[in-house]
Amino acid sequence: MITNWLFNKIKLNHYKTVKLTWSAYSTIGCTHLQEKILTEDMKKVIEQHWKDRIIYKPFDPSNHKEKCYVLSMFPYPSGELHMGHVRVYSISDTIARFYRLLGRNVFQPMGWDAFGLPAENAAIQRKIPANKWTLENIERMRKQLNDLGCSFDWNSELATCDPAYYKWTQKIFLMLFNEGLAYQCESMVNWDPVDQTVLADEQVDENGLSWRSGAKVEKKLLKQWFIKTTKFADQLYAGLDDPILEDWKDIINLQKHWIGECDGWNFSFKLSNDKNITVWSKSPEEFQYATFIAIRKEHLLNTDKIDSGLLSLRAKNPFTGHELAIIVTDEVEFPPFNDVYVSSNNEGDAKIAEKFGLEKSQSSMNLSRDEVLSKAAELNMGGDFKISSKLKDWLISRQRFWGTPIPIIHCPSCGAVPVKDEDLPIKLPENDEVGKPLSQNHEWLKCSCPKCGNTDAKRESDTMDTFVDSSWYFLRYLDPQNQLDLVDKKLGNEMMPVDIYIGGKEHAVLHLYYARFMNHFLHQKGYVKDAEPFKKLLVQGMVKGKTYRVKENGLYLKSNEVEIINEKKGKAVEKETKRKVEVLWEKMSKSKFNGVDPIDVIQSHGCDTTRLIMLGDVAPTSHRNWSEATFPGIIKWQKRLWMTLHDFHIHRQKINEISISKEFDEHEEKLLDSANYFTSTATFNFKISHQLSIAISRLQGLTNAIRRAPPDVVCFGKQYERALSAQIIMLAPFAPHFSSELWSRFISAPNRVTEKSDYINWNADIFDQQWPKVDSHHKIEFNVKVNNLFIHKFKVTCAALNRMSQDEALHLGLNHESTAKYIKDKKIMASQWKIYEDYEGILNLITDQVSVESTENEHENVKKIVEQ
């Protein structure tokens, strides 16, 4: 097992960070690289030179006012980075470096989602302990992340398999248990016969196969542990409209669809065999008229698997005192996603009751809904919170070894007893037989009851689903060494919520739902001030590779087995048989022969180029088709930047040979305008839209503007100097090593034009610079919309727009000729004013309903106005 001592020793030996002071730091770059043309080998020399010299401002835990918590979803330690990892952590690190340059106190931690079946199965296959396998993988992947140039705060590193972490996962479980939110009951579950464990519904594919082993999943009735997430369903649904959420876009709809509209209640009816049956109803007042409870033939109570009929079981109706028959039928309208129905006072149910020989219930009462709900709560049979018909409680039991032990002791006298806080963590057994489930470790299971001392008690043998471990890790990052609590409440309240959360869309339903639930619960306990854990979401698309699949049988081929007939049209055949081959872009996989090892790419092109290639061309939210055809554009851009700094040095050394032309001021003015424009748009795409590919495109546009400058502007231009510094600083988040070298060359050039500057700190490295500012007199767009339809735009200065009130914007927008012309027959009901600082302002006018004819001609009218 991982002991605290071993885990901390590994951390100290392998990633202890040393913060150099400025006096100990050198801005001298690779001075021996004087060639004008940048080569791949030169880039490797540059990265090796700067790898341990780059300084970034570390997170200051005492400063929460300017905090910026940048979080990327932590990885499972498989031992090797894949291209999906490269993408998400390149995005995360680029954003973190950007906010540091803005002067924010950035917290960007990293850790490991280290429990689970993949590690356990891999360990079994290799006949080594799961903890040893996991630790070796963590070591390897940490190095790979550093090789990618990531600036994580390794001092906050954690692993979910470390007892120092899962002690607090167990504590959270006990908090839930003590409030009745963690419970055990029998349930029909998905059973993987190969992996010998329960699977969640989401871990079974559409063909009924296990997501891991590929085995046909079986159904079993087992006693399982659940967390009552349904109790928070209504507030989790409502929380999706919390104004704290920014840029969640379609993820809100995914979450709402998963939770469902909370328009009913769950109730538990007692059966004649002393068990219970759960029913959902949006009209519980109808229970007073109930004659029967109907179940589908697949329901676990239908032990004889009859297609239709009356069971010997009965249920007690506590609202009337009558007994309810239990029938198997498909003739009733079951609530969505439910297999139980309680009859109502309607003609259809009366006919079914008659068919089965049941007397219609004659209620002498007239209970209201509130009275039924009140009585149900009094009887502890449910109805105390609203829920959708589809949402179920969270099944967390897993029956293997490599997971967080559930801290419950089963006593023959006392039942399920929680472990005492002082006895946490309940650790996994050390040096145990590889692959042996906890249920077979009889020595480990033996214990005494914490309540009565009975020595015949046994530990719970189930472990928790790994989703529990990952439902709160973002809080532990803040305080990973805390031995008294899961996180200091003051720290949690000051640092949460996470400012931007970055990860794959495949986790935007389950993981996000569980993390939101946990944060809502811990919010009630005072650990965080906001119920919602994440402000902004940046959900990145997957990285895809090109695949070749034989059309007639679906067999995947290697690229060297394929003959390309027409690249553009995707026409290809198998070389040997000439069978038609489909050329597709699919998720990278070894079995599809389309995987790419990121380490090979980094070794070939360097980490900076790899990051730029990964982030260029397509937005983070889109899928990325990985192709070497996209490499040349980025590589040529780097060469042009290198050449620009080379030429800058050459020209600055020849100032006596160059005279100032009469167009000098004109060129300088153009360069100032270009620098302002590209700074404005790049900043917007970093800060607001997170379209990092467009930010790269804008920086390439600035490179073009800079390279158009004639020699006299390069020599004597103040705006040239400023534009070039802005270019390098804005490149730094993407390519930290390459930018550091460019900066070293920039500040070492002779004959500075601006020895003292508000824009350049000549005595500091690039990561101690400030993000470039847009001049107050630079003009940016004022956009006018009517009912969210773009009408026209005009320009105002940054200074005017940044401080413009809604009334001022309304006055300016309404008095513009194009606006007045468009709204002359409309009545303005409201207005919305949105400022994107230094980039644009948007005035949206909400008008009353217009005629059908006007609506049909709306787009044509706008087109004419814009053309005028």
Side-chain angles (χ1 to χ4, degrees), residues 631-641:
F631 291 17
I634 290 296
I635 293 170
K636 287 178 183 177
W637 179 40
Q638 283 186 286
K639 288 181 177 180
R640 283 161 55 226
L641 286 167

Side-chain angles (χ1 to χ4, degrees), residues 486-510:
L486 57 99
V487 66
D488 179 83
K489 289 184 177 179
K490 184 174 184 292
L491 193 60
N493 276 280
E494 290 174 338
M495 282 297 295
M496 290 294 289
V498 170
D499 292 279
I500 179 166
Y501 193 29
I502 305 154
K505 195 168 186 175
E506 66 272 21
H507 301 300
V509 177
L510 277 189

Side-chain angles (χ1 to χ4, degrees), residues 386-398:
K386 296 187 80 171
I387 185 180
S388 70
S389 64
K390 65 189 297 187
L391 192 65
K392 302 294 185 284
D393 282 335
W394 180 7
L395 168 59
I396 66 164
S397 282
R398 297 297 180 264

Side-chain angles (χ1 to χ4, degrees), residues 5-245:
W5 173 84
L6 174 60
F7 192 77
N8 289 329
K9 183 179 179 183
I10 288 169
K11 294 207 296 189
L12 286 171
N13 286 345
H14 292 271
Y15 62 84
K16 184 177 181 181
T17 54
V18 179
K19 305 301 179 187
L20 299 177
T21 62
W22 174 251
S23 61
Y25 177 76
S26 171
T27 58
I28 303 301
C30 306
T31 54
H32 60 288
L33 298 177
Q34 298 298 329
E35 292 87 349
K36 186 172 184 176
I37 305 301
L38 180 70
T39 66
E40 297 298 293
D41 286 340
M42 288 166 64
K43 284 192 283 187
K44 294 173 189 175
V45 171
I46 288 168
E47 289 182 5
Q48 190 62 36
H49 175 83
W50 288 103
K51 185 175 182 180
D52 297 323
R53 289 179 168 87
I54 291 176
I55 298 174
Y56 66 90
K57 295 174 184 175
F59 172 66
D60 178 4
S62 66
N63 176 17
H64 304 126
K65 291 183 180 178
E66 292 298 320
K67 70 94 179 176
C68 183
Y69 189 170
V70 178
L71 178 66
S72 45
M73 294 182 182
F74 65 170
Y76 157 68
S78 61
E80 302 295 336
L81 286 186
H82 56 63
M83 296 307 287
H85 291 137
V86 172
R87 192 176 201 199
V88 66
Y89 301 128
S90 293
I91 293 169
S92 169
D93 192 62
T94 298
I95 289 173
R97 290 181 184 273
F98 162 72
Y99 278 107
R100 289 193 192 104
L101 286 167
L102 275 186
R104 301 288 290 277
N105 184 27
V106 173
F107 181 53
Q108 189 197 195
M110 177 49 64
W112 312 98
D113 193 5
F115 270 141
L117 268 176
E120 190 173 349
N121 286 343
I124 292 169
Q125 186 179 358
R126 291 163 176 79
K127 295 181 171 56
I128 60 174
N131 64 308
K132 183 175 186 294
W133 164 255
T134 301
L135 278 179
E136 289 173 353
N137 288 349
I138 287 174
E139 291 279 289
R140 199 155 53 246
M141 288 184 72
R142 188 190 302 114
K143 180 183 181 302
Q144 292 167 0
L145 287 174
N146 284 327
D147 288 344
L148 187 60
C150 294
S151 57
F152 293 119
D153 190 334
W154 290 111
N155 295 316
S156 296
E157 183 182 17
L158 57 81
T160 59
C161 62
D162 181 3
Y165 180 86
Y166 69 70
K167 168 184 178 177
W168 299 107
T169 304
Q170 292 174 338
K171 171 62 179 175
I172 292 172
F173 176 90
L174 293 178
M175 291 163 64
L176 292 163
F177 179 83
N178 290 332
E179 295 209 6
L181 295 173
Y183 64 94
Q184 195 178 27
C185 73
E186 279 193 336
S187 175
M188 190 68 74
V189 296
N190 304 306
W191 181 259
D192 186 324
V194 172
D195 283 334
Q196 293 287 297
T197 190
V198 167
L199 300 175
D201 287 341
E202 296 72 31
Q203 296 168 332
V204 181
D205 69 15
E206 63 274 13
N207 298 314
L209 304 179
S210 168
W211 71 321
R212 289 293 184 191
S213 70
K216 187 71 176 177
V217 171
E218 302 169 358
K219 289 290 185 181
K220 269 193 176 185
L221 183 63
L222 293 175
K223 202 169 188 180
Q224 301 286 283
W225 283 97
F226 294 83
I227 294 177
K228 194 179 289 187
T229 53
T230 52
K231 190 165 185 178
F232 285 71
D234 205 12
Q235 69 184 69
L236 286 168
Y237 192 93
L240 295 166
D241 296 320
D242 191 323
I244 200 173
L245 305 185

